[in-house]
Amino acid sequence: MLTINDLYVGYGDTLVVQGVSLDVAESELVSLVGANGVGKTTLLKTISGLVRAKSGEILFMGENITRLAPDEIVARGLIQVAEGRKLFPAMTVLENLELGAYTKEAHKQKKRNFELVFEMLPDLKTKARNMAGTLSGGQQQMLAIGRGLMSAPKLLILDEPSIGLSPLLTQTMFEIIGKIKEQGVTLMLVEQNVHHALGMADRGYVIEQGRIVLSGPAMKLLHDEHLKKAYLGM
Amino acid sequence: MSGAAILQATADGILMGGVYAVTAIGLTLIFGVMEIVNFAHGALMMLGMYVTYWLFTLFGINPYLTIPVSIAVMFIIGWLMQRYLLNKIINAPQHNQLLLTLGVMLFLENLALFVWSPDFRSINVPGLDTSIQLGVVSINKPKLLAFAFALILTAVLFIILQKTVLGKSIRATSQERDGASLVGIKVKNINAIAFGIGTACAGVAGSLIVPFFFTSPGAGAVFLLRSFVVAILGGLGNFWGALVAGLIVGLAESLSGLFLSGSWNDLVIYGIFVLVLLLRPTGLFGGGRLSGSH
């Protein structure tokens, strides 16, 4: 569904993503794990068209989307729930969700997706009239995911969904991600929380200094000696 | 000082404040969405004045009926200006954008001088040159109409921003640009539309003052500085702040004119301006990101 070939991205003279190749197949959950500042968010921004690649290509459902504008990429069903949530703080929860269904395709499924989101994230229903900026961190993250689901994703990319959440909320968050997978949505999960992210994934990639250093079935990665030592403190 | 004179100055100030508010709302909308400080705003207002002036002078069209034309013409000019000039430097440092809008201002003003000469022009609309007597206060009809239209425009704009898909995407873009891109909003289009709407506000303000103000190439400059004061006083990006601040500046101007003689009012306005910048640089009501809710 998503294929990235030898992608290079940088700001000025600094290369942040250095030759990344990866792929995500339909209805898979693929986790991309790595420490802070190794290029994960830059990679995702490039996938969504917010940052331009220096070279390499990104294919989505067989189409080259490397040079497309962000809105054109969203219209094709590649949706990203960005790090830092990127909500509209002075708009209500309801308005944020409505704007999730901005594209033509998402608008058609608006009613169904509203039901789905409220069923999966009931907190959002009780807070529907509140301003997004007044929600707690956990609720904001739920809203960001809810808004992503409103966009009718074929592939949903989640950037650090557990960042800043309490252990209990982190648990809830990963349960929600599990439920989204059950809905048949293809997922790419980008996380520092290696244990959780690989624990629920089909396959995983480990990124260090802008390069993929390890990849394979998630279970196998969890038992990899290098990964254990570097990320799991074992 | 008679009570009647104070009442009169208060009424005049409030009426003028409505016009200041409309120009400032245009500025604040543009700043709220793009963080562009538009120095050409006054010159664009001046173009709106000429639209109305010529439609009245050449075809005898009532100035208030020219407002839709003014909105359309100025929206298109603003849209084009954003799409083909400002869009090129949207990621440039702010002072570069400032220089560009300043350049557009000089260009438009000199173009107007060249095409229409520096003459001060005024129009005389039958039935509009009288005043309405409200007790001791006499209300100048064109100013009252300008105020009424200003309020209507503000309300319409507010409803557009709050209720329509377009308005929601404008607010979304102003609050979180990347977030807007990530839900599929064409941010570049929104920028151009927001600039068009902001410019149309300037155009309407221009049309509204033609019946009681001299139309000339430099007319916009008078209003430019006032709308900056109003927009900043209200909090850049804050819609209702601009409305309230417009009334405050209008009142400050007319009351200071009354108490301190005419030449003082600019001094008072800029005095307020400097004090706000020193003491409360986010404006009286805080900079809103086009939240529209306060």
Side-chain angles (χ1 to χ4, degrees):
Chain A
M1 181 170 250
L2 178 74
T3 307
I4 297 175
N5 290 326
D6 204 22
L7 194 72
Y8 283 82
V9 193
Y11 304 100
D13 288 337
T14 326
L15 278 176
V16 183
V17 174
Q18 308 184 33
V20 166
S21 298
L22 59 79
D23 63 285
V24 180
E26 189 156 357
S27 54
E28 246 190 336
L29 196 171
V30 171
S31 287
L32 174 70
V33 298
N36 224 345
V38 296
K40 298 195 300 288
T41 295
T42 300
L43 174 63
L44 296 194
K45 280 189 168 171
T46 315
I47 294 174
S48 285
L50 294 172
V51 172
R52 288 274 162 250
K54 288 211 188 293
S55 67
E57 59 174 9
I58 304 165
L59 305 171
F60 182 61
M61 320 236 319
E63 184 189 2
N64 190 337
I65 59 164
T66 322
R67 302 274 152 212
L68 292 186
D71 60 277
E72 295 170 316
I73 293 169
V74 170
R76 281 159 175 74
L78 197 169
I79 312 299
Q80 183 187 159
V81 177
E83 191 193 0
R85 294 141 195 166
K86 311 254 183 235
L87 297 170
F88 310 123
M91 296 175 90
T92 65
V93 167
L94 206 60
E95 284 177 317
N96 270 273
L97 291 173
E98 272 180 349
L99 281 168
Y102 186 84
T103 63
K104 218 185 264 170
E105 193 51 42
H107 189 77
K108 277 187 221 156
Q109 306 178 27
K110 191 168 164 182
K111 205 168 159 249
R112 211 193 64 197
N113 284 334
F114 253 124
E115 284 167 14
L116 178 80
V117 166
F118 283 148
E119 189 197 307
M120 214 182 278
L121 308 160
D123 274 9
L124 295 183
K125 199 167 190 174
T126 55
K127 296 275 177 186
R129 304 264 161 221
N130 294 43
M131 291 289 161
T134 65
L135 301 182
S136 71
Q139 289 165 338
Q140 289 195 8
Q141 190 59 55
M142 304 287 171
L143 178 55
I145 289 179
R147 191 178 69 182
L149 289 173
M150 291 300 295
S151 303
K154 293 193 175 88
L155 168 64
L156 186 66
I157 301 179
L158 303 172
D159 192 1
E160 306 270 7
S162 76
I163 203 165
L165 299 187
S166 70
L168 188 68
L169 271 172
T170 302
Q171 193 65 41
T172 315
M173 185 58 62
F174 282 106
E175 276 164 24
I176 289 166
I177 294 168
K179 281 186 198 159
I180 297 172
K181 194 189 177 210
E182 280 166 27
Q183 297 288 327
V185 178
T186 309
L187 283 159
M188 182 167 158
L189 181 57
V190 178
E191 264 291 343
Q192 290 186 59
N193 191 329
V194 173
H195 185 72
H196 261 109
L198 287 178
M200 69 187 311
D202 299 309
R203 286 188 304 115
Y205 291 89
V206 181
I207 184 169
E208 284 177 8
Q209 264 77 54
R211 292 191 180 87
I212 302 287
V213 292
L214 268 178
S215 66
M219 280 307 138
K220 210 173 142 198
L221 285 183
L222 271 175
H223 293 102
D224 183 90
E225 287 304 322
H226 169 72
L227 191 118
K228 270 189 185 171
K229 225 188 268 169
Y231 298 96
L232 299 171
M234 287 194 256
Chain B
M1 191 67 54
S2 75
I6 295 173
L7 277 178
Q8 182 68 49
T10 305
D12 287 342
I14 289 174
L15 295 183
M16 233 16 236
V19 176
Y20 294 156
V22 173
T23 55
I25 282 169
L27 264 188
T28 230
L29 180 74
I30 288 169
F31 184 85
V33 175
M34 280 158 282
E35 300 203 353
I36 285 176
V37 177
N38 183 20
F39 268 103
H41 205 66
L44 292 162
M45 179 178 176
M46 172 270 295
L47 289 187
M49 293 178 81
Y50 276 103
V51 168
T52 296
Y53 174 84
W54 286 117
L55 284 174
F56 175 80
T57 308
L58 298 177
F59 306 107
I61 301 173
N62 183 298
Y64 300 99
L65 296 179
T66 66
I67 289 174
V69 183
S70 185
I71 288 178
V73 170
M74 298 314 294
F75 177 87
I76 292 167
I77 291 176
W79 192 90
L80 291 173
M81 183 174 156
Q82 204 288 329
R83 203 87 178 92
Y84 295 103
L85 283 177
L86 289 163
N87 205 27
K88 307 280 179 212
I89 58 157
I90 190 105
N91 295 317
Q94 210 161 33
H95 54 262
N96 288 7
Q97 301 175 349
L98 216 116
L99 285 174
L100 181 57
T101 61
L102 195 67
V104 172
M105 175 190 103
L106 293 172
F107 173 78
L108 290 177
E109 285 188 4
N110 285 288
L111 184 73
L113 277 171
F114 177 70
V115 180
W116 297 310
S117 83
D119 290 354
F120 284 82
R121 303 165 191 262
S122 63
I123 63 171
N124 199 351
V125 190
L128 270 186
D129 44 4
T130 55
S131 291
I132 302 167
Q133 206 62 35
L134 269 180
V136 289
V137 179
S138 88
I139 307 269
N140 176 289
K141 261 191 201 168
K143 283 190 181 172
L144 181 65
L145 280 167
F147 180 74
F149 275 103
L151 285 193
I152 292 169
L153 180 79
T154 307
V156 168
L157 203 54
F158 180 70
I159 292 167
I160 290 175
L161 281 177
Q162 283 302 110
K163 300 289 176 199
T164 67
V165 176
L166 172 67
K168 286 177 186 180
S169 19
I170 290 175
R171 281 191 293 145
T173 305
S174 88
Q175 290 171 24
E176 176 50 67
R177 177 169 294 264
D178 280 353
S181 288
L182 290 176
V183 298
I185 292 171
K186 291 181 173 59
V187 168
K188 274 187 184 170
N189 281 1
I190 294 297
N191 286 346
I193 290 170
F195 206 93
I197 294 176
T199 306
C201 286
V204 171
S207 295
L208 288 173
I209 61 171
V210 168
F212 60 88
F213 204 84
F214 287 110
T215 301
S216 74
V222 180
F223 286 85
L224 176 69
L225 282 167
R226 276 177 179 57
S227 31
F228 270 121
V229 176
V230 171
I232 290 167
L233 190 62
L236 269 173
N238 187 330
F239 197 84
W240 292 112
L243 187 61
V244 177
L247 299 180
I248 292 175
V249 168
L251 275 175
E253 183 183 42
S254 66
L255 289 175
S256 64
L258 178 67
F259 287 106
L260 302 168
S261 95
S263 51
W264 274 78
N265 52 20
D266 274 356
L267 198 70
V268 168
I269 288 172
Y270 299 121
I272 295 174
F273 188 39
V274 171
L275 282 178
V276 169
L277 285 180
L278 283 176
L279 302 175
R280 236 186 115 69
T282 52
L284 290 177
F285 311 100
R289 305 303 274 131
L290 290 190
S291 61
S293 58
H294 48 243

